């Protein structure tokens, strides 16, 4: 294949794009240009319009104004099919897989929809197998049902589906938020290879390290407008943040006066299959306990056992010194345990409900009168307050959560928990998909909650987060606790070492 090291040929050009929802302009006069053989990063705060711009490019939404050119030809993108026909393939921020179909059926869904009556299933599965193998994902069974896979593996299938279309414009909307480290590495190799072969790639992410590793150019959106397009070589983190947020970033972590009290939650020899093997730990009131480990190490599974979301095979849970019987999330709520789940689409937020309702759902008691009437004004005030503190981008609190941007949905899921009267909060990747500004707010809230005496257990894959936030971190590897690190020992070196399975 012909190598194109330097090529300024323009593949996609979007000019003067305007998109309006309910009278509010979400994209305003946006220009965007994608070259052949380029990885172009798209950045900006939650709700800035990144996903919307790509929905316009791929035909999911139609713009009110503006033009799209592909290979210099003006295009009318009226439906997602137009997008695919023009070689634009998208890996969306939210899963679009069919949980009851097999891996192969999902990857080759276009074939199933093509109207062909007879399908040679043997060949069909073989083709899916070849795609998975080609991309280096040998460990995924093409016949497995999507519902049986881990979140990370589902994301891999999503990627394979998009790549199987052999599109020459590939859009990835925060693809790594749910991927295991190993799989991120593989994905990056694939993307670099595709670029060498002349594909054009749009990469959306809030992670600066990824942007600097991958991209040739960066376009920043701010409040639906173009803040600028720059060459990655010519910018540093600070100038990028300035473009995105409009001000210099404040300190990521604020100081917290830790007043650590009694043990509130104690897990003793928790077991579930191969994922959780004899996990024991304690957390205290006023403490932020971190859980580190590679994706798939068993962190999510452990907190799901604490919350009663899965059934444990063995082990005990003690709350405030007493043996607790937690067999369901309902039991957990009785013990004032709350969980922010990893996969917000299926567990965290109820997408079809209004922001107002989802936020207060687990704390309705506090907003109900003695006679069972909901105190709407009081409820609305509480919701508005927390939405403001997290800088949630929304029109009104009766808006459906599904209309919010991905990062803002995460904020709603979090506010639901923060408004509840839970004393022990289990947060699984609380800052996934949220922008830098909101991260600072979330860390601030976590600190406040700890100061007020609550217990926080935080799972994160970002080491800096745990180092800045936690009083103690336990490191999990293949379902076992490898180390419990005190504040002074929470270092990158230790986190990496123990997460790889080194024993103390
Ligand atoms: N169908 C819709 N109806 C109403 N508003 C919408 C709809 N889709 C998007 N919006 C609004 O458009 C704005 C931009 O959303 P978009 O999803 O493009 O943001 P984003 O930059 O991708 O953010 P994130 O980083 O959180 O994913 C948001 O304020 C969002 O609420
Ligand atoms: Mg988005």
């Amino acid at each position: 294949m012909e190598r194109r090291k330097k090529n300024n040929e323009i593949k996609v050009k979007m000019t003067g794009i305007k998109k309006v929802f309910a009278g509010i302009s979400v994209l305003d006069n946006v220009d965007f240009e994608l070259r052949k053989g380029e990885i172009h990063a798209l950045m900006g705060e939650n709700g800035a319009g990144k996903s919307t711009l790509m929905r316009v490019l791929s035909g999911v939404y139609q713009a009110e104004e503006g033009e799209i050119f592909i290979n210099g030809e003006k295009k009318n993108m009226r439906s997602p099919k137009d997008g695919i026909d023009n070689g634009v393939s998208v890996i969306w921020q939210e899963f679009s897989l069919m949980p009851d179909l097999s891996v192969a059926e999902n990857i080759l869904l276009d074939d199933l929809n093509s109207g062909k009556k007879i399908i040679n299933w043997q060949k069909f599965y073989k083709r899916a197998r070849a795609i998975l193998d080609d991309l280096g994902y040998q460990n995924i069974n093409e016949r497995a049902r999507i519902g049986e896979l881990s979140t990370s593996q589902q994301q891999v299938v999503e990627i394979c589906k998009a790549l199987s279309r052999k599109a020459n414009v590939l859009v990835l909307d925060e693809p790594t938020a749910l991927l295991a480290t190993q799989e991120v590495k593989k994905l990056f190799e694939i993307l670099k290879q595709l670029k060498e072969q002349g594909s054009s790639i749009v990469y959306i992410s809030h992670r600066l390290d990824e942007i600097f590793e991958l991209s040739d150019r960066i376009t920043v959106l701010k409040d639906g407008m173009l803040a600028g397009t720059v060459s990655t070589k010519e910018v540093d983190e600070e100038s990028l943040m300035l473009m995105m947020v409009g001000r210099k970033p404040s300190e990521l972590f604020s100081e917290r006066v830790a007043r650590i009290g009694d043990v509130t939650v104690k897990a003793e020899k928790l077991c579930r299959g191969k994922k959780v093997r004899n996990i024991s730990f304690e957390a205290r009131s006023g403490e932020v306990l971190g859980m580190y480990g590679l994706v798939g190490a068993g962190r999510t599974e452990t907190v799901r056992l604490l919350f009663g979301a899965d059934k444990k095979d063995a082990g005990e849970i003690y709350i405030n010194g007493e043996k607790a019987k937690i067999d369901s999330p309902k039991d957990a709520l009785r013990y004032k345990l709350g969980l922010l789940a990893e996969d917000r689409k299926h567990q965290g937020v109820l997408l079809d409900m209004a922001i107002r309702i989802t936020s207060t759902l687990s704390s309705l008691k506090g907003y109900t009168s003695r006679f069972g009437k909901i105190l709407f004004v009081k409820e609305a005030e509480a919701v508005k307050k927390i939405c403001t503190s997290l800088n949630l981008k929304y029109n009104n609190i009766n808006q459906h959560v599904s209309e919010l941007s991905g990062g803002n949905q995460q904020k709603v899921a979090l506010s639901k928990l923060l408004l509840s009267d839970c004393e022990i909060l289990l947060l699984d990747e609380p800052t996934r998909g949220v922008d830098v500004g909101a991260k600072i707010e979330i860390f601030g809230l976590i600190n406040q909650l700890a100061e007020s005496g609550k217990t926080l257990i935080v799972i994160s894959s970002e080491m800096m987060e745990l180092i800045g936030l936690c009083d103690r971190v336990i490191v999990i590897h293949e379902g076992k606790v490898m180390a419990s690190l005190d504040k002074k020992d929470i270092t990158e070196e230790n986190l990496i070492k123990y997460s790889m399975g080194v024993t103390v």
Side-chain angles (χ1 to χ4, degrees):
M1 196 150 299
E2 184 194 351
R3 281 214 156 192
R4 294 187 180 85
K5 264 269 166 303
K6 188 134 189 82
N7 198 330
N8 289 345
E9 213 178 306
I10 292 167
K11 181 76 197 171
V12 174
K13 200 174 173 70
M14 301 174 83
T15 55
I17 301 292
K18 184 182 180 77
K19 178 74 207 158
V20 176
F21 284 115
I24 293 169
S25 149
V26 168
L27 291 174
D28 192 6
N29 197 20
V30 173
D31 297 336
F32 180 70
E33 179 198 279
L34 179 65
R35 292 177 187 151
K36 211 164 186 181
E38 155 178 74
I39 299 184
H40 195 130
L42 193 51
M43 299 193 76
E45 292 180 288
N46 295 134
K50 305 177 294 293
S51 298
T52 305
L53 185 65
M54 290 302 113
R55 287 192 186 111
V56 169
L57 172 62
S58 60
V60 176
Y61 289 160
Q62 280 77 56
E64 270 74 41
E65 285 172 26
E67 296 182 325
I68 302 174
F69 300 87
I70 297 181
N71 296 325
E73 235 179 86
K74 190 171 171 217
K75 298 283 178 186
N76 268 330
M77 301 292 218
R78 289 206 187 82
S79 70
K81 191 175 171 299
D82 286 345
I84 294 169
D85 291 347
N86 280 293
V88 180
S89 190
V90 189
I91 298 170
W92 293 114
Q93 189 170 13
E94 305 292 337
F95 284 134
S96 60
L97 299 175
M98 310 280 180
D100 292 324
L101 296 186
S102 69
V103 168
E105 286 165 314
N106 270 283
I107 294 179
L108 300 171
L109 199 63
D110 298 348
D111 281 28
L112 294 183
N113 286 339
S114 69
K116 249 203 297 187
K117 287 216 175 66
I118 299 164
I119 289 175
N120 180 336
W121 287 99
Q122 207 173 349
K123 269 198 189 150
F124 184 83
Y125 281 114
K126 247 195 179 150
R127 259 186 48 226
R129 182 72 260 154
I131 292 170
L132 286 161
D133 286 344
D134 264 3
L135 295 170
Y137 295 110
Q138 280 84 4
N139 61 336
I140 293 177
N141 180 354
E142 71 279 12
R143 287 171 192 262
R145 235 171 27 85
I146 291 296
E148 295 164 15
L149 303 183
S150 72
T151 340
S152 177
Q153 288 173 324
Q154 292 184 17
Q155 180 70 346
V156 169
V157 175
E158 192 90 48
I159 291 168
C160 293
K161 179 178 159 190
L163 293 178
S164 76
R165 291 189 174 135
K166 302 229 177 304
N168 37 35
V169 176
L170 183 65
V171 179
L172 300 100
D173 197 347
E174 297 187 41
T176 58
L178 290 168
L179 280 189
T181 328
Q182 212 34 46
E183 286 156 350
V184 173
K185 244 172 113 184
K186 243 178 245 166
L187 175 66
F188 282 13
E189 279 164 25
I190 295 169
L191 294 182
K192 286 174 186 166
Q193 211 177 337
L194 287 171
K195 169 183 143 172
E196 286 296 317
Q197 293 165 2
S199 293
S200 307
I201 297 168
V202 180
Y203 192 88
I204 302 178
S205 172
H206 291 288
R207 304 196 51 172
L208 290 167
D209 50 340
E210 296 184 345
I211 300 291
F212 281 108
E213 178 181 344
L214 269 183
S215 71
D216 302 299
R217 288 195 297 163
I218 304 170
T219 288
V220 176
L221 293 181
K222 179 154 177 55
D223 297 329
M225 283 183 272
L226 182 69
T229 298
V230 292
S231 156
T232 308
K233 277 195 231 90
E234 284 156 16
V235 285
D236 56 12
E237 288 196 8
E238 194 162 298
S239 53
L240 254 186
M241 302 260 262
L242 202 62
M243 269 175 98
M244 280 190 290
V245 191
R247 59 179 162 80
K248 279 217 174 140
S250 54
E251 275 298 306
L252 208 48
F253 301 100
S254 46
E255 278 293 316
R256 167 163 50 92
V257 201
R259 254 170 303 154
I260 294 178
D262 297 333
V263 173
T264 50
V265 52
K266 180 173 163 189
E268 201 175 75
K269 299 193 171 152
L270 294 183
C271 294
R272 180 179 161 86
K274 283 184 187 147
K275 284 288 194 175
V276 182
R277 301 190 284 179
N278 261 329
I279 288 200
S280 304
F281 61 88
E282 292 177 347
R284 296 169 176 78
S285 87
E287 184 176 48
V288 182
L289 173 71
M291 273 193 190
Y292 186 72
L294 304 176
V295 175
R299 302 168 301 169
T300 294
E301 288 76 7
T302 303
V303 294
R304 283 177 61 83
L305 290 186
L306 280 183
F307 191 64
D310 292 323
K311 228 177 131 46
K312 54 184 187 292
D313 299 337
E316 296 293 347
I317 298 165
Y318 297 85
I319 305 289
N320 298 323
E322 275 174 40
K323 200 185 262 190
K325 195 175 157 353
I326 301 177
D327 295 323
S328 69
K330 221 169 143 193
D331 292 342
L333 288 174
R334 267 211 316 275
Y335 287 102
K336 300 204 167 180
L337 247 76
L339 170 70
L340 174 77
E342 158 186 62
D343 174 2
R344 74 174 159 253
K345 190 164 182 187
H346 294 115
Q347 304 165 18
V349 270
L350 303 162
L351 289 174
D352 293 335
M353 291 178 102
I355 301 172
R356 182 172 60 79
I357 297 171
T358 36
S359 307
T360 49
L361 204 60
S362 38
S363 56
L364 262 186
K365 258 203 211 114
Y367 307 99
T368 315
S369 76
R370 265 193 301 155
F371 308 106
K373 261 180 87 172
I374 296 178
L375 304 168
F376 287 110
V377 177
K378 198 176 163 202
E379 186 199 35
E381 266 170 20
V383 173
K384 276 186 192 147
K385 194 170 151 218
I386 195 139
C387 290
T388 312
S389 82
L390 288 174
N391 193 18
L392 188 83
K393 261 200 101 178
Y394 66 107
N395 295 337
N396 64 73
I397 59 172
N398 294 316
Q399 205 179 352
H400 280 194
V401 175
S402 57
E403 288 180 2
L404 298 179
S405 77
N408 282 308
Q409 288 181 14
Q410 177 74 356
K411 293 185 202 170
V412 172
L414 193 63
S415 62
K416 173 176 151 195
L417 193 59
L418 299 179
L419 281 174
S420 73
D421 58 356
C422 292
E423 287 297 324
I424 301 164
L425 301 175
L426 313 169
L427 309 178
D428 196 349
E429 304 279 6
T431 61
R432 179 167 77 82
V434 306
D435 62 52
V436 204
K439 266 189 191 169
I440 297 174
E441 301 303 331
I442 290 173
F443 295 147
L445 278 169
I446 290 179
N447 278 338
Q448 270 177 33
L449 290 169
E451 276 175 1
S452 75
K454 299 198 181 203
T455 304
L456 291 109
I457 299 184
V458 180
I459 295 180
S460 173
S461 298
E462 288 187 47
M463 289 188 274
M464 289 320 292
E465 263 186 49
L466 295 179
I467 294 171
L469 204 59
C470 297
D471 300 300
R472 213 153 45 81
V473 172
I474 59 171
V475 186
I476 297 178
H477 169 75
E478 293 184 350
K480 290 185 189 147
V481 177
M482 303 311 287
S484 169
L485 306 169
D486 287 332
K487 184 103 197 154
K488 63 174 189 334
D489 298 321
I490 310 174
T491 59
E492 271 191 41
E493 198 194 334
N494 277 336
L495 292 174
I496 292 174
K497 188 168 82 183
Y498 295 119
S499 67
M500 310 280 272
V502 175
T503 40
V504 181

